[in-house]
Amino acid sequence: MTVTIYDVAREANVSMATVSRVVNGNPNVKPSTRTKVLETIERLGYRPNAVARGLASKKTTTVGAIIPDVSNIFFSELARGIEDIATMYKYNIILNNSDQNRERELQLIDTMYEKQVDGILFMSDNISKEHIEQFKGESVPVVLAATYDEKNRVPSVNINYEAAGYEATKYLIDQGNERIAFISGDKEAVINQLKYQGYIRALKESFLPINDDYILNNQYTHDDAVQSIQQLLEMTDKPTAVFTTSDELALGAIHGTQDKGYKVPEDLEVFGFNNTRLATMVRPALTTIDQPTYDIGAVAMRLLTKLMNKEEVEESNVILPHRIVERNSTK
Amino acid sequence: MTVTIYDVAREANVSMATVSRVVNGNPNVKPSTRTKVLETIERLGYRPNAVARGLASKKTTTVGAIIPDVSNIFFSELARGIEDIATMYKYNIILNNSDQNRERELQLIDTMYEKQVDGILFMSDNISKEHIEQFKGESVPVVLAATYDEKNRVPSVNINYEAAGYEATKYLIDQGNERIAFISGDKEAVINQLKYQGYIRALKESFLPINDDYILNNQYTHDDAVQSIQQLLEMTDKPTAVFTTSDELALGAIHGTQDKGYKVPEDLEVFGFNNTRLATMVRPALTTIDQPTYDIGAVAMRLLTKLMNKEEVEESNVILPHRIVERNSTK
DNA sequence: GTGAAAGCGCTAACAG
DNA sequence: CTGTTAGCGCTTTCAC
């Protein structure tokens, strides 16, 4: 059957402890016996059992990642960043889709605890008291990635969404636009609210009126945005620019505009968010906020490795830089 | 510290065996003692340790998924299909990115065995003898998803790529095109070769010449396709249509054409592959082969559950249907 | 319907 | 530098 550490020990005429030492790279082994053990491991085709190891050592070298939806391009880029750093530090990722469903999120966290993960990476639009309680109830470190907790109760990696929203809107204002629409995803999502606040701040600062008709904050897909931009374009005082909270929505805005016979950016300037790969896969190419998506995942995972390793962490609520990438969807 | 099955047993005045039985839904427990145990589980906040359980039962309810790149939209949709069915059957997924690197793939498979996964879902452009040997060396069931092994040595879920390639090309021919280009990803990938064979078969069947200059088979990204289509468009006898092996490449072809001042589909008809979400996120919207990406993942995972459960499987090399979706990138 | 006891394969003191 | 010995927390016969 399967060959165990015991078989190797017997065949190599050493104790299991010694085999364990060489497998774990413990230096306290005489070179000659090390080679002997290594040889018989090779010969027998021994492969350590991570489950047994996990039970004995209370470490599984596995982390749980709870993500709204891997098939969403933003999150899949995040996931890739997480995965790459995890690999670098010899961790495996158990990936779970939550669809932002709170019940499911809570249940997934529980399952991750059952599986004895060494750490958790959590992504969601909103985190509640129940989330925090569940995290605090265990000693497993948690890091939030692209997920905002106003009270910073949990380590996290984000960008400054409010500033980004402000800058995008300001950019549009500086282009001479006075009627700027705002198209966002779920309005309950804290991150979208922050972007919205930035939008409002920029308008107010320039003494521009806030027109509720220009604000559509429950759009989810490309096609939703196609619809809603067309609706805006039918107004008599139609907007001349739109700021959207994701690139996918921005593509929808561009296409909706074009479908109606208008031109981007001549008739409508479009500003996106995230700078996902979609941003260059459209014509005109999208002006957008470059959010270092991959890096957020990578930095969050790196932070988690430090936490799991009980290393000192200077700053546990990391804010990564963002910037405006100008392309042709704005003048 | 953490509460174990032993603590529950003591508190409930039963043996660990009984606690184990109620936790596992074993019917041989008197209802009254079941409730008693359930209550103390609740009271103590007992949560079974999946690692210990895995060691004792030799089942981890975890499956390994080895995927080229989650951040690729095609694979992320596949991954989502896998994940959803896995959840349905109470399995967790350990997700690994291989970047199609054979060394890495082999090493990941090994890691999955170490982690004692109950099954493996494998995705790659090519599978070699080494892969097969590694799979056969263990009794862990494996299913290939959107991954073709000519010899059907491993259970798999695919579509008929050759037929799809043929149909796409035939469609373009029936539109009156005689100069049809072919833009594909890695030419070493078996799946791309099959699509290519279908392309060739359609041309031959209609007695159309095969022009090697029209065949560009090592394009990976949207921007690669932008370049290469522009190159084709500079030829004196430029193609009037192009068949690409992915939607991303098709978007590149569309945008390259438009960037050069030509129109799609008037000057060039473009045919994609996969019908990912990208297909409707472009103007003109993309005519493409609808490959049931999510379903391939879902069916593959379902097949794997049967294999893990040692159920009878009527057909272990599943071919799912595909179809042409007509949109506006063709006339 | 319930309990006792033997592992599952490995790590981690502790000796020597 | 190496071996002995407890467990880690649970499942699973096998009795009763």
Side-chain angles (χ1 to χ4, degrees):
Chain A
M1 273 291 295
T2 60
V3 12
T4 73
I5 200 172
Y6 182 77
D7 300 320
V8 176
R10 183 169 28 73
E11 290 287 315
N13 291 312
V14 295
S15 71
M16 343 180 354
T18 300
V19 178
S20 177
R21 286 190 190 98
V22 346
V23 168
N24 291 296
N26 184 316
N28 295 335
V29 182
K30 196 181 356 161
S32 67
T33 86
R34 178 185 300 282
T35 22
K36 184 174 61 178
V37 171
L38 250 18
E39 275 169 11
T40 89
I41 283 179
E42 179 71 19
R43 183 159 57 80
L44 269 45
Y46 167 71
R47 177 190 292 129
N49 178 326
V51 173
R53 205 192 276 226
L55 183 59
S57 69
K58 298 181 168 306
K59 289 197 187 321
T60 54
T61 62
T62 299
V63 331
I66 296 169
I67 200 165
D69 179 13
V70 247
S71 71
N72 175 307
I73 194 161
F74 174 73
F75 290 114
S76 68
E77 284 187 16
L78 245 182
R80 187 63 214 252
I82 291 170
E83 242 272 314
D84 284 355
I85 304 302
T87 299
M88 192 173 299
Y89 287 89
K90 312 280 186 213
Y91 284 95
N92 284 109
I93 300 287
I94 296 183
L95 192 70
N96 306 278
N97 294 99
S98 67
D99 289 319
Q100 307 266 20
N101 174 330
R102 178 166 314 181
E103 281 310 307
R104 177 134 183 72
E105 285 172 351
L106 264 15
Q107 179 215 318
L108 283 173
I109 296 169
D110 218 64
T111 305
M112 291 304 97
Y113 287 146
E114 278 192 16
K115 295 265 178 175
Q116 314 296 121
V117 296
D118 294 339
I120 291 180
L121 275 162
F122 189 75
M123 284 144 273
S124 182
D125 275 350
N126 284 296
I127 80 161
S128 61
K129 279 131 289 160
E130 295 93 76
H131 286 109
I132 302 291
E133 278 165 23
Q134 206 178 6
F135 291 146
K136 299 294 185 195
E138 297 280 323
S139 59
V140 177
V142 176
V143 173
L144 307 179
T147 299
Y148 196 74
D149 171 33
E150 311 98 316
K151 302 184 188 118
N152 280 347
R153 288 163 293 189
V154 180
S156 62
V157 179
N158 285 286
I159 64 165
N160 186 334
Y161 305 102
E162 197 273 346
Y166 169 83
E167 290 161 26
T169 309
K170 184 80 169 80
Y171 177 96
L172 260 10
I173 294 171
D174 289 346
Q175 297 277 89
N177 293 290
E178 300 194 337
R179 297 196 302 283
I180 301 171
F182 176 79
I183 297 184
S184 88
D186 185 2
K187 71 160 163 258
E188 302 301 327
V190 179
I191 287 180
N192 286 334
Q193 289 168 6
L194 291 167
K195 294 172 188 171
Y196 176 74
Q197 286 166 20
Y199 163 79
I200 295 294
R201 177 158 67 90
L203 291 185
K204 283 191 173 158
E205 190 188 77
S206 297
F207 306 107
L208 256 22
I210 292 162
N211 185 339
D212 283 345
D213 295 337
Y214 291 167
I215 296 166
L216 296 169
N217 51 12
N218 55 340
Q219 310 293 305
Y220 296 86
T221 67
H222 173 272
D223 290 353
D224 288 347
V226 168
Q227 300 299 321
S228 51
I229 199 70
Q230 295 195 340
Q231 194 178 306
L232 290 176
L233 257 18
E234 275 161 14
M235 297 172 66
T236 47
D237 53 344
K238 48 174 84 62
T240 59
V242 60
F243 166 46
T244 66
T245 60
S246 79
D247 290 341
E248 176 166 346
L249 292 174
L251 294 220
I254 290 176
H255 294 141
T257 304
Q258 293 170 344
D259 289 352
K260 236 178 148 48
Y262 289 110
K263 281 188 176 304
V264 174
E266 291 79 358
D267 301 313
L268 186 79
E269 297 191 68
V270 178
F271 205 114
F273 209 110
N274 287 345
N275 197 25
T276 51
R277 298 176 61 211
L278 292 178
T280 54
M281 289 165 69
V282 63
R283 292 298 180 271
L286 192 63
T287 294
T288 188
I289 294 288
D290 179 62
Q291 171 166 16
T293 314
Y294 177 94
D295 292 347
I296 292 178
V299 170
M301 183 64 214
R302 178 66 184 108
L303 177 55
L304 187 59
T305 64
K306 288 183 184 163
L307 262 18
M308 293 188 295
N309 218 20
K310 304 201 187 315
E311 293 173 26
E312 271 307 311
V313 170
E314 57 288 355
E315 178 54 58
S316 60
N317 292 106
V318 180
I319 299 294
L320 258 27
H322 62 270
R323 66 194 173 88
I324 291 177
V325 176
E326 295 187 69
R327 296 204 184 87
N328 304 320
S329 67
T330 51
K331 290 175 194 161
Chain B
M1 275 286 299
T2 60
V3 13
T4 73
I5 199 172
Y6 182 77
D7 300 320
V8 177
R10 184 170 25 75
E11 289 287 315
N13 290 314
V14 295
S15 69
M16 336 174 9
T18 299
V19 179
S20 176
R21 287 191 188 94
V22 346
V23 168
N24 292 294
N26 184 318
N28 294 335
V29 182
K30 200 185 345 169
S32 67
T33 85
R34 176 185 303 281
T35 24
K36 184 174 59 177
V37 171
L38 251 18
E39 274 169 14
T40 87
I41 283 179
E42 180 71 18
R43 182 159 56 81
L44 269 46
Y46 167 71
R47 177 190 293 130
N49 178 326
V51 172
R53 205 194 277 228
L55 183 59
S57 69
K58 300 184 168 303
K59 289 198 186 322
T60 54
T61 63
T62 300
V63 329
I66 295 169
I67 201 165
D69 179 14
V70 248
S71 70
N72 174 307
I73 193 162
F74 174 73
F75 290 115
S76 68
E77 284 187 15
L78 245 182
R80 186 65 213 252
I82 292 170
E83 242 273 313
D84 284 356
I85 304 302
T87 300
M88 193 173 298
Y89 288 90
K90 313 279 185 213
Y91 284 97
N92 284 109
I93 299 288
I94 296 184
L95 192 70
N96 306 278
N97 294 99
S98 68
D99 289 318
Q100 307 266 20
N101 174 330
R102 177 166 313 180
E103 280 311 306
R104 177 134 182 72
E105 286 172 351
L106 264 15
Q107 178 216 315
L108 284 172
I109 296 169
D110 217 64
T111 306
M112 291 304 96
Y113 287 146
E114 278 191 17
K115 295 265 178 171
Q116 313 300 119
V117 295
D118 294 340
I120 291 180
L121 275 162
F122 189 76
M123 283 143 274
S124 182
D125 275 349
N126 285 296
I127 78 161
S128 61
K129 279 131 290 159
E130 294 92 77
H131 287 108
I132 302 291
E133 279 166 23
Q134 205 178 7
F135 290 146
K136 300 295 186 193
E138 297 281 323
S139 60
V140 177
V142 176
V143 173
L144 307 179
T147 299
Y148 197 73
D149 171 33
E150 311 99 316
K151 303 187 186 114
N152 280 348
R153 289 164 293 190
V154 181
S156 63
V157 180
N158 286 286
I159 64 165
N160 186 333
Y161 306 102
E162 197 275 345
Y166 168 83
E167 290 160 26
T169 311
K170 184 81 170 79
Y171 177 95
L172 259 11
I173 293 171
D174 289 346
Q175 296 276 90
N177 293 290
E178 299 194 336
R179 297 195 302 282
I180 302 171
F182 176 79
I183 297 184
S184 88
D186 186 1
K187 69 161 166 259
E188 303 300 327
V190 179
I191 287 179
N192 286 336
Q193 289 167 8
L194 291 167
K195 294 171 187 170
Y196 175 72
Q197 287 166 20
Y199 163 78
I200 295 295
R201 177 157 69 91
L203 291 185
K204 282 191 173 159
E205 190 188 78
S206 296
F207 306 107
L208 255 23
I210 293 162
N211 184 338
D212 284 345
D213 294 338
Y214 290 167
I215 297 166
L216 296 169
N217 51 13
N218 55 339
Q219 310 294 305
Y220 296 86
T221 68
H222 173 270
D223 290 352
D224 289 345
V226 168
Q227 300 300 321
S228 51
I229 200 69
Q230 295 196 339
Q231 192 177 311
L232 290 175
L233 257 18
E234 275 163 13
M235 296 171 66
T236 46
D237 52 344
K238 49 175 81 65
T240 59
V242 59
F243 166 46
T244 66
T245 60
S246 80
D247 290 342
E248 175 166 346
L249 292 175
L251 294 219
I254 290 175
H255 294 141
T257 305
Q258 293 170 343
D259 289 352
K260 236 179 148 47
Y262 290 110
K263 279 187 175 305
V264 174
E266 292 79 356
D267 301 313
L268 186 80
E269 297 192 66
V270 178
F271 205 115
F273 208 110
N274 288 343
N275 198 25
T276 50
R277 299 176 58 210
L278 291 178
T280 55
M281 290 166 69
V282 64
R283 289 299 180 271
L286 192 63
T287 293
T288 188
I289 294 289
D290 179 62
Q291 170 165 14
T293 314
Y294 177 95
D295 292 347
I296 291 178
V299 170
M301 184 64 213
R302 178 66 184 107
L303 178 55
L304 186 59
T305 63
K306 288 183 184 163
L307 262 17
M308 291 187 295
N309 219 17
K310 303 204 187 313
E311 292 174 26
E312 270 307 309
V313 171
E314 56 289 353
E315 177 55 58
S316 61
N317 292 105
V318 180
I319 298 295
L320 259 27
H322 63 269
R323 65 193 174 89
I324 291 175
V325 178
E326 296 186 69
R327 295 203 184 88
N328 304 320
S329 66
T330 51
K331 290 175 193 161

